[in-house]
Amino acid sequence: MITLKGLIIREAPKGESNKLIHVLTAERGVISVYVRGGMKSTKNAAATQLYVYSKFCLEKTVDPKGPIFYYLNSSEPEEMFYELRLDVVKMSLAAYLADLIYYARIEGVSDMTEVLRLTLNTFYFLNRGQKDPEFLKSVFEFRLLCDIGFRPDLLCCPKCYKYLSDKMYLNMAEGYIECEDCCTDKDGMYVYELDRSLLHVIRHIALTDLERLFAVKISAKLQLKLTNLTEGYIRYHFRESFDTLKFYRSIT
Ligand SMILES: [Zn+2]
């Protein structure tokens, strides 16, 4: 028997009364858990709902021909994120963030400690409703990519070592920033212009401790630039268009 804590990021019915849940855990990445009787009211109903963080007791079954599966033995909710279910904007953003995590798993990341912490923090603020969902979305998009191995080098221009100038350029393909004098590909599809405040905020998102990650305020104008950049960074690395993002955009 294995005991794990994790956040449920996806669920699907299996047969008439069972369901399969996908759970983000620190130690084992995203795992698939089979819940017997999961579509009916059972003792595990609360702890196996979508977007609930729970403690699970699991049995591991390895099918030599297939992927590793877990069977749920018992579960207990730790954090329900109850308010997410009462608001369509919060709910649709949570669905998009869960999609990003599910997609990131396909890239073969197994240690998801930082990703789980980031997700729980983001869900905490989204649930409470005290931060702009657009800001939470941008922070999550950029930091998620940083945490799974795509943190760009934001320290200085690699050619002349300039740390700051009025205009710098993030080259998403190369994973570095260049100054105005050194950048030769300013109109490139994945080259984004950074003014001082945009560079400051992406340095903050990429490099600050999680405890202080959400403790900044940015203007609506800067948020628009940040949204454009973080969505572009997701597009560049995931090469995927997410229906959940389209739905979120259709209501915001
Ligand atoms: Zn330079």
Side-chain angles (χ1 to χ4, degrees):
M1 197 77 74
I2 302 154
T3 305
L4 281 175
K5 285 183 185 177
L7 178 76
I8 299 163
I9 58 162
R10 201 172 263 218
E11 65 174 355
K14 283 277 164 193
E16 270 185 27
S17 63
N18 306 319
K19 71 175 178 179
L20 188 68
I21 55 174
H22 297 282
V23 183
L24 171 64
T25 70
E27 308 87 341
R28 295 172 189 235
V30 177
I31 60 170
S32 306
V33 178
Y34 194 75
V35 185
R36 294 182 193 95
M39 299 307 284
K40 292 179 182 166
S41 178
T42 66
K43 63 182 167 60
N44 290 312
T48 60
Q49 281 183 79
L50 200 53
Y51 312 136
V52 171
Y53 180 61
S54 299
K55 191 168 158 185
F56 301 98
C57 257
L58 306 169
E59 282 167 58
K60 186 176 168 186
T61 308
V62 182
D63 172 358
K65 284 175 268 168
I68 298 166
F69 268 89
Y70 297 84
Y71 287 91
L72 181 70
N73 190 282
S74 65
S75 57
E76 213 177 290
E78 296 262 321
E79 176 59 62
M80 298 290 286
F81 299 115
Y82 182 71
E83 300 289 325
L84 290 185
R85 288 162 192 76
L86 308 177
D87 182 298
V88 67
V89 172
K90 289 179 182 178
M91 192 66 181
S92 60
L93 182 54
Y96 169 59
L97 303 185
D99 256 8
L100 293 180
I101 297 163
Y102 190 77
Y103 195 81
R105 152 191 109 134
I106 297 164
E107 301 289 303
V109 178
S110 58
D111 179 3
M112 296 286 251
T113 308
E114 288 303 307
V115 173
L116 179 61
R117 288 179 67 213
L118 171 68
T119 310
L120 292 175
N121 274 270
T122 309
F123 273 40
Y124 170 81
F125 286 115
L126 186 61
N127 185 56
R128 283 176 41 140
Q130 290 169 346
K131 302 256 176 205
D132 178 9
E134 278 295 299
F135 174 68
L136 295 176
K137 171 178 164 294
S138 285
V139 171
F140 187 88
E141 287 173 325
F142 201 69
R143 182 68 172 231
L144 174 71
L145 285 168
C146 290
D147 285 345
I148 63 170
F150 302 115
R151 178 175 280 106
D153 185 355
L154 300 175
L155 192 62
C156 61
C157 173
K159 293 170 184 163
C160 70
Y161 307 109
K162 199 178 280 174
Y163 173 77
L164 201 61
S165 68
D166 286 340
K167 271 187 195 172
M168 293 192 85
Y169 295 84
L170 171 65
N171 186 326
M172 292 183 178
E174 301 294 338
Y176 55 56
I177 51 167
E178 287 174 304
C179 73
E180 198 173 9
D181 299 330
C182 297
C183 181
T184 53
D185 190 22
K186 296 188 177 84
D187 299 321
M189 195 174 171
Y190 289 102
V191 177
Y192 280 66
E193 187 183 306
L194 308 168
D195 58 24
R196 283 171 183 259
S197 48
L198 186 56
L199 176 56
H200 178 76
V201 76
I202 66 165
R203 275 182 174 144
H204 174 88
I205 297 170
L207 303 168
T208 305
D209 291 346
L210 202 56
E211 288 72 29
R212 293 188 297 124
L213 184 62
F214 296 96
V216 282
K217 275 206 160 122
I218 67 172
S219 68
K221 201 174 149 199
L222 180 56
Q223 179 61 59
L224 282 176
K225 291 181 194 172
L226 181 62
T227 295
N228 188 33
L229 185 145
T230 58
E231 282 190 9
Y233 206 44
I234 288 286
R235 261 198 314 279
Y236 177 76
H237 281 292
F238 283 177
R239 312 267 168 180
E240 179 84 16
S241 75
F242 294 94
D243 288 342
T244 43
L245 175 59
K246 283 182 203 146
F247 181 74
Y248 170 76
R249 276 282 158 257
S250 74
I251 57 166
T252 53

